[in-house]
PDB file of all heavy atoms in Angstrom:
ATOM      1  N   GLY T   1     -30.094 -90.935 -12.875  1.00 97.00           N
ATOM      2  CA  GLY T   1     -29.871 -89.809 -11.979  1.00 97.00           C
ATOM      3  C   GLY T   1     -29.716 -88.516 -12.720  1.00 97.00           C
ATOM      4  O   GLY T   1     -30.052 -88.417 -13.905  1.00 97.00           O
ATOM      5  N   LEU T   2     -29.203 -87.525 -11.992  1.00 98.00           N
ATOM      6  CA  LEU T   2     -28.996 -86.189 -12.538  1.00 98.00           C
ATOM      7  C   LEU T   2     -27.505 -85.973 -12.757  1.00 98.00           C
ATOM      8  O   LEU T   2     -26.693 -86.251 -11.869  1.00 98.00           O
ATOM      9  CB  LEU T   2     -29.543 -85.152 -11.560  1.00 98.00           C
ATOM     10  CG  LEU T   2     -29.257 -83.680 -11.877  1.00 98.00           C
ATOM     11  CD1 LEU T   2     -29.935 -83.269 -13.165  1.00 98.00           C
ATOM     12  CD2 LEU T   2     -29.712 -82.807 -10.715  1.00 98.00           C
ATOM     13  N   VAL T   3     -27.157 -85.481 -13.939  1.00 98.00           N
ATOM     14  CA  VAL T   3     -25.745 -85.240 -14.261  1.00 98.00           C
ATOM     15  C   VAL T   3     -25.646 -84.000 -15.127  1.00 98.00           C
ATOM     16  O   VAL T   3     -26.588 -83.667 -15.855  1.00 98.00           O
ATOM     17  CB  VAL T   3     -25.148 -86.473 -14.974  1.00 98.00           C
ATOM     18  CG1 VAL T   3     -25.807 -86.708 -16.322  1.00 98.00           C
ATOM     19  CG2 VAL T   3     -23.636 -86.374 -15.099  1.00 98.00           C
ATOM     20  N   GLN T   4     -24.526 -83.313 -15.052  1.00 98.00           N
ATOM     21  CA  GLN T   4     -24.307 -82.150 -15.908  1.00 98.00           C
ATOM     22  C   GLN T   4     -23.906 -82.582 -17.302  1.00 98.00           C
ATOM     23  O   GLN T   4     -23.356 -83.678 -17.503  1.00 98.00           O
ATOM     24  CB  GLN T   4     -23.224 -81.258 -15.310  1.00 98.00           C
ATOM     25  CG  GLN T   4     -23.656 -80.518 -14.056  1.00 98.00           C
ATOM     26  CD  GLN T   4     -22.616 -79.514 -13.602  1.00 98.00           C
ATOM     27  OE1 GLN T   4     -21.426 -79.678 -13.846  1.00 98.00           O
ATOM     28  NE2 GLN T   4     -23.081 -78.464 -12.943  1.00 98.00           N
ATOM     29  N   ALA T   5     -24.170 -81.720 -18.245  1.00 98.00           N
ATOM     30  CA  ALA T   5     -23.768 -82.003 -19.620  1.00 98.00           C
ATOM     31  C   ALA T   5     -22.266 -82.295 -19.675  1.00 98.00           C
ATOM     32  O   ALA T   5     -21.468 -81.630 -19.011  1.00 98.00           O
ATOM     33  CB  ALA T   5     -24.105 -80.821 -20.514  1.00 98.00           C
ATOM     34  N   GLY T   6     -21.924 -83.314 -20.455  1.00 98.00           N
ATOM     35  CA  GLY T   6     -20.543 -83.751 -20.555  1.00 98.00           C
ATOM     36  C   GLY T   6     -20.180 -84.849 -19.581  1.00 98.00           C
ATOM     37  O   GLY T   6     -19.103 -85.447 -19.689  1.00 98.00           O
ATOM     38  N   GLY T   7     -21.069 -85.103 -18.638  1.00 98.00           N
ATOM     39  CA  GLY T   7     -20.820 -86.125 -17.628  1.00 98.00           C
ATOM     40  C   GLY T   7     -21.154 -87.521 -18.109  1.00 98.00           C
ATOM     41  O   GLY T   7     -21.504 -87.743 -19.283  1.00 98.00           O
ATOM     42  N   SER T   8     -21.057 -88.470 -17.175  1.00 98.00           N
ATOM     43  CA  SER T   8     -21.269 -89.881 -17.497  1.00 98.00           C
ATOM     44  C   SER T   8     -22.195 -90.528 -16.474  1.00 98.00           C
ATOM     45  O   SER T   8     -22.265 -90.101 -15.318  1.00 98.00           O
ATOM     46  CB  SER T   8     -19.936 -90.638 -17.489  1.00 98.00           C
ATOM     47  OG  SER T   8     -19.056 -90.132 -18.465  1.00 98.00           O
ATOM     48  N   LEU T   9     -22.895 -91.527 -16.940  1.00 98.00           N
ATOM     49  CA  LEU T   9     -23.704 -92.395 -16.089  1.00 98.00           C
ATOM     50  C   LEU T   9     -23.620 -93.806 -16.620  1.00 98.00           C
ATOM     51  O   LEU T   9     -23.407 -94.007 -17.830  1.00 98.00           O
ATOM     52  CB  LEU T   9     -25.175 -91.960 -16.077  1.00 98.00           C
ATOM     53  CG  LEU T   9     -25.585 -90.749 -15.244  1.00 98.00           C
ATOM     54  CD1 LEU T   9     -27.045 -90.409 -15.516  1.00 98.00           C
ATOM     55  CD2 LEU T   9     -25.349 -90.981 -13.775  1.00 98.00           C
ATOM     56  N   ARG T  10     -23.812 -94.762 -15.732  1.00 98.00           N
ATOM     57  CA  ARG T  10     -23.850 -96.167 -16.141  1.00 98.00           C
ATOM     58  C   ARG T  10     -25.149 -96.777 -15.654  1.00 98.00           C
ATOM     59  O   ARG T  10     -25.420 -96.791 -14.447  1.00 98.00           O
ATOM     60  CB  ARG T  10     -22.679 -96.946 -15.560  1.00 98.00           C
ATOM     61  CG  ARG T  10     -22.544 -98.358 -16.123  1.00 98.00           C
ATOM     62  CD  ARG T  10     -21.550 -99.158 -15.332  1.00 98.00           C
ATOM     63  NE  ARG T  10     -21.152-100.383 -16.007  1.00 98.00           N
ATOM     64  CZ  ARG T  10     -20.769-101.486 -15.359  1.00 98.00           C
ATOM     65  NH1 ARG T  10     -20.734-101.499 -14.029  1.00 98.00           N
ATOM     66  NH2 ARG T  10     -20.404-102.568 -16.042  1.00 98.00           N
ATOM     67  N   LEU T  11     -25.940 -97.280 -16.594  1.00 98.00           N
ATOM     68  CA  LEU T  11     -27.187 -97.951 -16.274  1.00 98.00           C
ATOM     69  C   LEU T  11     -26.956 -99.451 -16.240  1.00 98.00           C
ATOM     70  O   LEU T  11     -26.171 -99.990 -17.023  1.00 98.00           O
ATOM     71  CB  LEU T  11     -28.263 -97.633 -17.300  1.00 98.00           C
ATOM     72  CG  LEU T  11     -28.579 -96.155 -17.543  1.00 98.00           C
ATOM     73  CD1 LEU T  11     -29.720 -96.028 -18.550  1.00 98.00           C
ATOM     74  CD2 LEU T  11     -28.899 -95.434 -16.264  1.00 98.00           C
ATOM     75  N   SER T  12     -27.664-100.110 -15.326  1.00 98.00           N
ATOM     76  CA  SER T  12     -27.627-101.565 -15.251  1.00 98.00           C
ATOM     77  C   SER T  12     -29.043-102.100 -15.300  1.00 98.00           C
ATOM     78  O   SER T  12     -29.979-101.452 -14.828  1.00 98.00           O
ATOM     79  CB  SER T  12     -26.966-102.023 -13.950  1.00 98.00           C
ATOM     80  OG  SER T  12     -25.641-101.573 -13.855  1.00 98.00           O
ATOM     81  N   CYS T  13     -29.189-103.273 -15.853  1.00 97.00           N
ATOM     82  CA  CYS T  13     -30.484-103.950 -15.904  1.00 97.00           C
ATOM     83  C   CYS T  13     -30.260-105.420 -15.582  1.00 97.00           C
ATOM     84  O   CYS T  13     -29.618-106.133 -16.358  1.00 97.00           O
ATOM     85  CB  CYS T  13     -31.116-103.791 -17.276  1.00 97.00           C
ATOM     86  SG  CYS T  13     -32.616-104.779 -17.494  1.00 97.00           S
ATOM     87  N   ALA T  14     -30.793-105.832 -14.460  1.00 96.00           N
ATOM     88  CA  ALA T  14     -30.670-107.220 -14.032  1.00 96.00           C
ATOM     89  C   ALA T  14     -31.952-107.969 -14.371  1.00 96.00           C
ATOM     90  O   ALA T  14     -33.046-107.536 -14.001  1.00 96.00           O
ATOM     91  CB  ALA T  14     -30.396-107.288 -12.538  1.00 96.00           C
ATOM     92  N   ALA T  15     -31.809-109.064 -15.063  1.00 94.00           N
ATOM     93  CA  ALA T  15     -32.956-109.873 -15.449  1.00 94.00           C
ATOM     94  C   ALA T  15     -33.039-111.108 -14.573  1.00 94.00           C
ATOM     95  O   ALA T  15     -32.036-111.792 -14.349  1.00 94.00           O
ATOM     96  CB  ALA T  15     -32.823-110.277 -16.912  1.00 94.00           C
ATOM     97  N   SER T  16     -34.226-111.380 -14.068  1.00 92.00           N
ATOM     98  CA  SER T  16     -34.444-112.588 -13.278  1.00 92.00           C
ATOM     99  C   SER T  16     -35.506-113.434 -13.954  1.00 92.00           C
ATOM    100  O   SER T  16     -36.341-112.937 -14.698  1.00 92.00           O
ATOM    101  CB  SER T  16     -34.882-112.221 -11.864  1.00 92.00           C
ATOM    102  OG  SER T  16     -36.105-111.491 -11.897  1.00 92.00           O
ATOM    103  N   GLY T  17     -35.459-114.729 -13.685  1.00 89.00           N
ATOM    104  CA  GLY T  17     -36.388-115.640 -14.329  1.00 89.00           C
ATOM    105  C   GLY T  17     -35.698-116.448 -15.401  1.00 89.00           C
ATOM    106  O   GLY T  17     -34.493-116.349 -15.602  1.00 89.00           O
ATOM    107  N   ASN T  18     -36.467-117.235 -16.121  1.00 86.00           N
ATOM    108  CA  ASN T  18     -35.909-118.104 -17.163  1.00 86.00           C
ATOM    109  C   ASN T  18     -35.909-117.381 -18.505  1.00 86.00           C
ATOM    110  O   ASN T  18     -36.953-117.224 -19.131  1.00 86.00           O
ATOM    111  CB  ASN T  18     -36.718-119.396 -17.252  1.00 86.00           C
ATOM    112  CG  ASN T  18     -36.601-120.228 -15.985  1.00 86.00           C
ATOM    113  OD1 ASN T  18     -35.527-120.325 -15.406  1.00 86.00           O
ATOM    114  ND2 ASN T  18     -37.703-120.823 -15.556  1.00 86.00           N
ATOM    115  N   ILE T  19     -34.742-116.957 -18.913  1.00 87.00           N
ATOM    116  CA  ILE T  19     -34.588-116.261 -20.182  1.00 87.00           C
ATOM    117  C   ILE T  19     -34.161-117.248 -21.248  1.00 87.00           C
ATOM    118  O   ILE T  19     -33.163-117.946 -21.102  1.00 87.00           O
ATOM    119  CB  ILE T  19     -33.557-115.130 -20.073  1.00 87.00           C
ATOM    120  CG1 ILE T  19     -33.971-114.143 -18.984  1.00 87.00           C
ATOM    121  CG2 ILE T  19     -33.423-114.414 -21.416  1.00 87.00           C
ATOM    122  CD1 ILE T  19     -32.948-113.062 -18.737  1.00 87.00           C
ATOM    123  N   VAL T  20     -34.923-117.278 -22.306  1.00 88.00           N
ATOM    124  CA  VAL T  20     -34.647-118.196 -23.406  1.00 88.00           C
ATOM    125  C   VAL T  20     -33.586-117.596 -24.317  1.00 88.00           C
ATOM    126  O   VAL T  20     -33.592-116.392 -24.600  1.00 88.00           O
ATOM    127  CB  VAL T  20     -35.932-118.470 -24.206  1.00 88.00           C
ATOM    128  CG1 VAL T  20     -35.644-119.342 -25.423  1.00 88.00           C
ATOM    129  CG2 VAL T  20     -36.986-119.116 -23.314  1.00 88.00           C
ATOM    130  N   SER T  21     -32.669-118.424 -24.770  1.00 86.00           N
ATOM    131  CA  SER T  21     -31.698-118.000 -25.771  1.00 86.00           C
ATOM    132  C   SER T  21     -32.036-118.654 -27.113  1.00 86.00           C
ATOM    133  O   SER T  21     -32.537-119.781 -27.137  1.00 86.00           O
ATOM    134  CB  SER T  21     -30.294-118.399 -25.350  1.00 86.00           C
ATOM    135  OG  SER T  21     -29.854-117.615 -24.269  1.00 86.00           O
ATOM    136  N   PRO T  22     -31.806-117.942 -28.212  1.00 89.00           N
ATOM    137  CA  PRO T  22     -31.200-116.608 -28.278  1.00 89.00           C
ATOM    138  C   PRO T  22     -32.149-115.506 -27.842  1.00 89.00           C
ATOM    139  O   PRO T  22     -33.361-115.684 -27.839  1.00 89.00           O
ATOM    140  CB  PRO T  22     -30.859-116.469 -29.764  1.00 89.00           C
ATOM    141  CG  PRO T  22     -31.878-117.300 -30.457  1.00 89.00           C
ATOM    142  CD  PRO T  22     -32.132-118.459 -29.546  1.00 89.00           C
ATOM    143  N   ASN T  23     -31.591-114.398 -27.445  1.00 93.00           N
ATOM    144  CA  ASN T  23     -32.409-113.266 -27.031  1.00 93.00           C
ATOM    145  C   ASN T  23     -31.662-111.973 -27.343  1.00 93.00           C
ATOM    146  O   ASN T  23     -30.462-112.004 -27.664  1.00 93.00           O
ATOM    147  CB  ASN T  23     -32.729-113.342 -25.538  1.00 93.00           C
ATOM    148  CG  ASN T  23     -31.492-113.355 -24.675  1.00 93.00           C
ATOM    149  OD1 ASN T  23     -30.803-112.350 -24.523  1.00 93.00           O
ATOM    150  ND2 ASN T  23     -31.193-114.514 -24.088  1.00 93.00           N
ATOM    151  N   ILE T  24     -32.379-110.909 -27.268  1.00 96.00           N
ATOM    152  CA  ILE T  24     -31.795-109.581 -27.467  1.00 96.00           C
ATOM    153  C   ILE T  24     -32.191-108.733 -26.269  1.00 96.00           C
ATOM    154  O   ILE T  24     -33.381-108.650 -25.931  1.00 96.00           O
ATOM    155  CB  ILE T  24     -32.300-108.916 -28.757  1.00 96.00           C
ATOM    156  CG1 ILE T  24     -31.911-109.752 -29.972  1.00 96.00           C
ATOM    157  CG2 ILE T  24     -31.727-107.498 -28.881  1.00 96.00           C
ATOM    158  CD1 ILE T  24     -32.498-109.251 -31.273  1.00 96.00           C
ATOM    159  N   MET T  25     -31.210-108.133 -25.642  1.00 97.00           N
ATOM    160  CA  MET T  25     -31.477-107.194 -24.554  1.00 97.00           C
ATOM    161  C   MET T  25     -31.038-105.812 -24.995  1.00 97.00           C
ATOM    162  O   MET T  25     -30.132-105.657 -25.816  1.00 97.00           O
ATOM    163  CB  MET T  25     -30.748-107.620 -23.283  1.00 97.00           C
ATOM    164  CG  MET T  25     -31.221-108.948 -22.740  1.00 97.00           C
ATOM    165  SD  MET T  25     -30.530-109.345 -21.122  1.00 97.00           S
ATOM    166  CE  MET T  25     -31.449-108.194 -20.064  1.00 97.00           C
ATOM    167  N   GLY T  26     -31.698-104.815 -24.450  1.00 97.00           N
ATOM    168  CA  GLY T  26     -31.340-103.478 -24.893  1.00 97.00           C
ATOM    169  C   GLY T  26     -31.971-102.392 -24.071  1.00 97.00           C
ATOM    170  O   GLY T  26     -32.625-102.651 -23.056  1.00 97.00           O
ATOM    171  N   TRP T  27     -31.727-101.189 -24.525  1.00 98.00           N
ATOM    172  CA  TRP T  27     -32.219 -99.986 -23.870  1.00 98.00           C
ATOM    173  C   TRP T  27     -32.996 -99.134 -24.865  1.00 98.00           C
ATOM    174  O   TRP T  27     -32.567 -98.946 -26.005  1.00 98.00           O
ATOM    175  CB  TRP T  27     -31.049 -99.177 -23.316  1.00 98.00           C
ATOM    176  CG  TRP T  27     -30.318 -99.879 -22.215  1.00 98.00           C
ATOM    177  CD1 TRP T  27     -29.226-100.687 -22.340  1.00 98.00           C
ATOM    178  CD2 TRP T  27     -30.636 -99.842 -20.822  1.00 98.00           C
ATOM    179  NE1 TRP T  27     -28.859-101.159 -21.107  1.00 98.00           N
ATOM    180  CE2 TRP T  27     -29.704-100.657 -20.156  1.00 98.00           C
ATOM    181  CE3 TRP T  27     -31.615 -99.205 -20.057  1.00 98.00           C
ATOM    182  CZ2 TRP T  27     -29.732-100.840 -18.774  1.00 98.00           C
ATOM    183  CZ3 TRP T  27     -31.644 -99.390 -18.697  1.00 98.00           C
ATOM    184  CH2 TRP T  27     -30.708-100.195 -18.061  1.00 98.00           C
ATOM    185  N   TYR T  28     -34.109 -98.626 -24.382  1.00 98.00           N
ATOM    186  CA  TYR T  28     -34.912 -97.660 -25.117  1.00 98.00           C
ATOM    187  C   TYR T  28     -35.109 -96.456 -24.212  1.00 98.00           C
ATOM    188  O   TYR T  28     -34.897 -96.542 -23.008  1.00 98.00           O
ATOM    189  CB  TYR T  28     -36.265 -98.259 -25.502  1.00 98.00           C
ATOM    190  CG  TYR T  28     -36.167 -99.363 -26.532  1.00 98.00           C
ATOM    191  CD1 TYR T  28     -35.642-100.615 -26.213  1.00 98.00           C
ATOM    192  CD2 TYR T  28     -36.583 -99.147 -27.846  1.00 98.00           C
ATOM    193  CE1 TYR T  28     -35.540-101.615 -27.152  1.00 98.00           C
ATOM    194  CE2 TYR T  28     -36.495-100.151 -28.797  1.00 98.00           C
ATOM    195  CZ  TYR T  28     -35.978-101.379 -28.442  1.00 98.00           C
ATOM    196  OH  TYR T  28     -35.879-102.366 -29.396  1.00 98.00           O
ATOM    197  N   ARG T  29     -35.532 -95.350 -24.790  1.00 98.00           N
ATOM    198  CA  ARG T  29     -35.786 -94.176 -23.962  1.00 98.00           C
ATOM    199  C   ARG T  29     -36.988 -93.413 -24.474  1.00 98.00           C
ATOM    200  O   ARG T  29     -37.320 -93.472 -25.656  1.00 98.00           O
ATOM    201  CB  ARG T  29     -34.567 -93.260 -23.905  1.00 98.00           C
ATOM    202  CG  ARG T  29     -34.201 -92.613 -25.226  1.00 98.00           C
ATOM    203  CD  ARG T  29     -32.879 -91.848 -25.099  1.00 98.00           C
ATOM    204  NE  ARG T  29     -32.514 -91.184 -26.337  1.00 98.00           N
ATOM    205  CZ  ARG T  29     -31.335 -90.581 -26.543  1.00 98.00           C
ATOM    206  NH1 ARG T  29     -30.410 -90.564 -25.567  1.00 98.00           N
ATOM    207  NH2 ARG T  29     -31.094 -89.985 -27.690  1.00 98.00           N
ATOM    208  N   ARG T  30     -37.623 -92.685 -23.554  1.00 98.00           N
ATOM    209  CA  ARG T  30     -38.736 -91.825 -23.909  1.00 98.00           C
ATOM    210  C   ARG T  30     -38.508 -90.462 -23.282  1.00 98.00           C
ATOM    211  O   ARG T  30     -38.500 -90.339 -22.055  1.00 98.00           O
ATOM    212  CB  ARG T  30     -40.073 -92.398 -23.456  1.00 98.00           C
ATOM    213  CG  ARG T  30     -41.261 -91.465 -23.745  1.00 98.00           C
ATOM    214  CD  ARG T  30     -42.564 -92.118 -23.371  1.00 98.00           C
ATOM    215  NE  ARG T  30     -42.937 -93.134 -24.333  1.00 98.00           N
ATOM    216  CZ  ARG T  30     -43.776 -94.136 -24.066  1.00 98.00           C
ATOM    217  NH1 ARG T  30     -44.287 -94.260 -22.860  1.00 98.00           N
ATOM    218  NH2 ARG T  30     -44.076 -95.000 -25.000  1.00 98.00           N
ATOM    219  N   ALA T  31     -38.298 -89.479 -24.137  1.00 97.00           N
ATOM    220  CA  ALA T  31     -38.131 -88.109 -23.678  1.00 97.00           C
ATOM    221  C   ALA T  31     -39.499 -87.459 -23.543  1.00 97.00           C
ATOM    222  O   ALA T  31     -40.468 -87.908 -24.177  1.00 97.00           O
ATOM    223  CB  ALA T  31     -37.272 -87.333 -24.667  1.00 97.00           C
ATOM    224  N   PRO T  32     -39.611 -86.418 -22.738  1.00 91.00           N
ATOM    225  CA  PRO T  32     -40.902 -85.744 -22.563  1.00 91.00           C
ATOM    226  C   PRO T  32     -41.486 -85.298 -23.895  1.00 91.00           C
ATOM    227  O   PRO T  32     -40.808 -84.657 -24.701  1.00 91.00           O
ATOM    228  CB  PRO T  32     -40.549 -84.542 -21.689  1.00 91.00           C
ATOM    229  CG  PRO T  32     -39.336 -84.960 -20.947  1.00 91.00           C
ATOM    230  CD  PRO T  32     -38.565 -85.828 -21.890  1.00 91.00           C
ATOM    231  N   GLY T  33     -42.735 -85.682 -24.144  1.00 94.00           N
ATOM    232  CA  GLY T  33     -43.415 -85.275 -25.364  1.00 94.00           C
ATOM    233  C   GLY T  33     -43.015 -86.025 -26.608  1.00 94.00           C
ATOM    234  O   GLY T  33     -43.443 -85.685 -27.716  1.00 94.00           O
ATOM    235  N   LYS T  34     -42.190 -87.057 -26.458  1.00 96.00           N
ATOM    236  CA  LYS T  34     -41.727 -87.817 -27.623  1.00 96.00           C
ATOM    237  C   LYS T  34     -42.069 -89.292 -27.475  1.00 96.00           C
ATOM    238  O   LYS T  34     -42.397 -89.768 -26.398  1.00 96.00           O
ATOM    239  CB  LYS T  34     -40.217 -87.639 -27.805  1.00 96.00           C
ATOM    240  CG  LYS T  34     -39.788 -86.224 -28.122  1.00 96.00           C
ATOM    241  CD  LYS T  34     -38.305 -86.170 -28.427  1.00 96.00           C
ATOM    242  CE  LYS T  34     -37.881 -84.757 -28.808  1.00 96.00           C
ATOM    243  NZ  LYS T  34     -36.419 -84.697 -29.117  1.00 96.00           N
ATOM    244  N   GLN T  35     -41.973 -89.994 -28.587  1.00 97.00           N
ATOM    245  CA  GLN T  35     -42.213 -91.426 -28.569  1.00 97.00           C
ATOM    246  C   GLN T  35     -40.972 -92.162 -28.062  1.00 97.00           C
ATOM    247  O   GLN T  35     -39.849 -91.654 -28.139  1.00 97.00           O
ATOM    248  CB  GLN T  35     -42.576 -91.916 -29.976  1.00 97.00           C
ATOM    249  CG  GLN T  35     -43.922 -91.416 -30.468  1.00 97.00           C
ATOM    250  CD  GLN T  35     -44.327 -92.065 -31.779  1.00 97.00           C
ATOM    251  OE1 GLN T  35     -43.478 -92.493 -32.549  1.00 97.00           O
ATOM    252  NE2 GLN T  35     -45.616 -92.145 -32.026  1.00 97.00           N
ATOM    253  N   ARG T  36     -41.201 -93.368 -27.587  1.00 97.00           N
ATOM    254  CA  ARG T  36     -40.081 -94.191 -27.142  1.00 97.00           C
ATOM    255  C   ARG T  36     -39.205 -94.531 -28.346  1.00 97.00           C
ATOM    256  O   ARG T  36     -39.711 -94.837 -29.434  1.00 97.00           O
ATOM    257  CB  ARG T  36     -40.598 -95.457 -26.482  1.00 97.00           C
ATOM    258  CG  ARG T  36     -39.521 -96.335 -25.883  1.00 97.00           C
ATOM    259  CD  ARG T  36     -40.130 -97.361 -24.954  1.00 97.00           C
ATOM    260  NE  ARG T  36     -41.129 -98.190 -25.588  1.00 97.00           N
ATOM    261  CZ  ARG T  36     -41.987 -98.964 -24.938  1.00 97.00           C
ATOM    262  NH1 ARG T  36     -41.954 -99.002 -23.620  1.00 97.00           N
ATOM    263  NH2 ARG T  36     -42.865 -99.689 -25.604  1.00 97.00           N
ATOM    264  N   GLU T  37     -37.905 -94.509 -28.154  1.00 98.00           N
ATOM    265  CA  GLU T  37     -36.980 -94.788 -29.252  1.00 98.00           C
ATOM    266  C   GLU T  37     -35.875 -95.731 -28.794  1.00 98.00           C
ATOM    267  O   GLU T  37     -35.529 -95.808 -27.613  1.00 98.00           O
ATOM    268  CB  GLU T  37     -36.347 -93.487 -29.756  1.00 98.00           C
ATOM    269  CG  GLU T  37     -35.489 -92.764 -28.740  1.00 98.00           C
ATOM    270  CD  GLU T  37     -34.806 -91.521 -29.298  1.00 98.00           C
ATOM    271  OE1 GLU T  37     -35.026 -91.167 -30.459  1.00 98.00           O
ATOM    272  OE2 GLU T  37     -34.031 -90.893 -28.538  1.00 98.00           O
ATOM    273  N   LEU T  38     -35.326 -96.429 -29.768  1.00 98.00           N
ATOM    274  CA  LEU T  38     -34.210 -97.331 -29.520  1.00 98.00           C
ATOM    275  C   LEU T  38     -32.969 -96.540 -29.133  1.00 98.00           C
ATOM    276  O   LEU T  38     -32.674 -95.499 -29.736  1.00 98.00           O
ATOM    277  CB  LEU T  38     -33.916 -98.143 -30.783  1.00 98.00           C
ATOM    278  CG  LEU T  38     -32.603 -98.917 -30.822  1.00 98.00           C
ATOM    279  CD1 LEU T  38     -32.712-100.146 -29.937  1.00 98.00           C
ATOM    280  CD2 LEU T  38     -32.236 -99.285 -32.241  1.00 98.00           C
ATOM    281  N   VAL T  39     -32.244 -97.049 -28.131  1.00 98.00           N
ATOM    282  CA  VAL T  39     -30.932 -96.497 -27.801  1.00 98.00           C
ATOM    283  C   VAL T  39     -29.844 -97.474 -28.264  1.00 98.00           C
ATOM    284  O   VAL T  39     -28.968 -97.114 -29.041  1.00 98.00           O
ATOM    285  CB  VAL T  39     -30.802 -96.236 -26.292  1.00 98.00           C
ATOM    286  CG1 VAL T  39     -29.393 -95.738 -25.961  1.00 98.00           C
ATOM    287  CG2 VAL T  39     -31.859 -95.235 -25.825  1.00 98.00           C
ATOM    288  N   ALA T  40     -29.921 -98.705 -27.765  1.00 98.00           N
ATOM    289  CA  ALA T  40     -28.920 -99.705 -28.135  1.00 98.00           C
ATOM    290  C   ALA T  40     -29.439-101.086 -27.787  1.00 98.00           C
ATOM    291  O   ALA T  40     -30.206-101.244 -26.835  1.00 98.00           O
ATOM    292  CB  ALA T  40     -27.601 -99.455 -27.412  1.00 98.00           C
ATOM    293  N   THR T  41     -29.021-102.085 -28.561  1.00 98.00           N
ATOM    294  CA  THR T  41     -29.366-103.464 -28.262  1.00 98.00           C
ATOM    295  C   THR T  41     -28.133-104.339 -28.406  1.00 98.00           C
ATOM    296  O   THR T  41     -27.188-103.997 -29.144  1.00 98.00           O
ATOM    297  CB  THR T  41     -30.465-104.008 -29.193  1.00 98.00           C
ATOM    298  OG1 THR T  41     -29.997-103.959 -30.550  1.00 98.00           O
ATOM    299  CG2 THR T  41     -31.755-103.223 -29.056  1.00 98.00           C
ATOM    300  N   ILE T  42     -28.165-105.471 -27.713  1.00 98.00           N
ATOM    301  CA  ILE T  42     -27.081-106.450 -27.805  1.00 98.00           C
ATOM    302  C   ILE T  42     -27.704-107.827 -27.721  1.00 98.00           C
ATOM    303  O   ILE T  42     -28.512-108.111 -26.834  1.00 98.00           O
ATOM    304  CB  ILE T  42     -26.021-106.230 -26.708  1.00 98.00           C
ATOM    305  CG1 ILE T  42     -24.879-107.224 -26.853  1.00 98.00           C
ATOM    306  CG2 ILE T  42     -26.623-106.251 -25.315  1.00 98.00           C
ATOM    307  CD1 ILE T  42     -23.663-106.885 -25.980  1.00 98.00           C
ATOM    308  N   SER T  43     -27.321-108.695 -28.650  1.00 96.00           N
ATOM    309  CA  SER T  43     -27.880-110.032 -28.667  1.00 96.00           C
ATOM    310  C   SER T  43     -27.101-110.943 -27.732  1.00 96.00           C
ATOM    311  O   SER T  43     -25.987-110.616 -27.291  1.00 96.00           O
ATOM    312  CB  SER T  43     -27.850-110.596 -30.090  1.00 96.00           C
ATOM    313  OG  SER T  43     -26.530-110.916 -30.453  1.00 96.00           O
ATOM    314  N   SER T  44     -27.662-112.117 -27.454  1.00 92.00           N
ATOM    315  CA  SER T  44     -26.966-113.088 -26.620  1.00 92.00           C
ATOM    316  C   SER T  44     -25.690-113.570 -27.303  1.00 92.00           C
ATOM    317  O   SER T  44     -24.781-114.063 -26.640  1.00 92.00           O
ATOM    318  CB  SER T  44     -27.879-114.265 -26.296  1.00 92.00           C
ATOM    319  OG  SER T  44     -28.497-114.760 -27.474  1.00 92.00           O
ATOM    320  N   GLY T  45     -25.614-113.393 -28.605  1.00 92.00           N
ATOM    321  CA  GLY T  45     -24.407-113.742 -29.348  1.00 92.00           C
ATOM    322  C   GLY T  45     -23.418-112.598 -29.461  1.00 92.00           C
ATOM    323  O   GLY T  45     -22.353-112.761 -30.053  1.00 92.00           O
TER     324      GLY T  45
END
């Protein structure tokens, strides 16, 4: 969504289907005119 600088947001990602463990889930982002980049990852462990 839209937020002012200094504010907060919480993103959620729900996965459906058969997910094999171990696995790594995470977030990436792509800003206008830039390449996609890593934000954060977390493993099943």
Side-chain angles (χ1 to χ4, degrees):
L2 172 64
V3 65
Q4 289 187 332
S8 298
L9 283 173
R10 189 191 194 209
L11 304 183
S12 299
C13 172
S16 61
N18 295 320
I19 302 175
V20 176
S21 289
N23 59 72
I24 299 174
M25 296 188 73
W27 294 92
Y28 292 71
R29 66 187 182 188
R30 177 176 285 158
K34 296 186 177 180
Q35 292 188 334
R36 185 165 57 194
E37 63 176 3
L38 167 75
V39 177
T41 61
I42 182 168
S43 72
S44 49

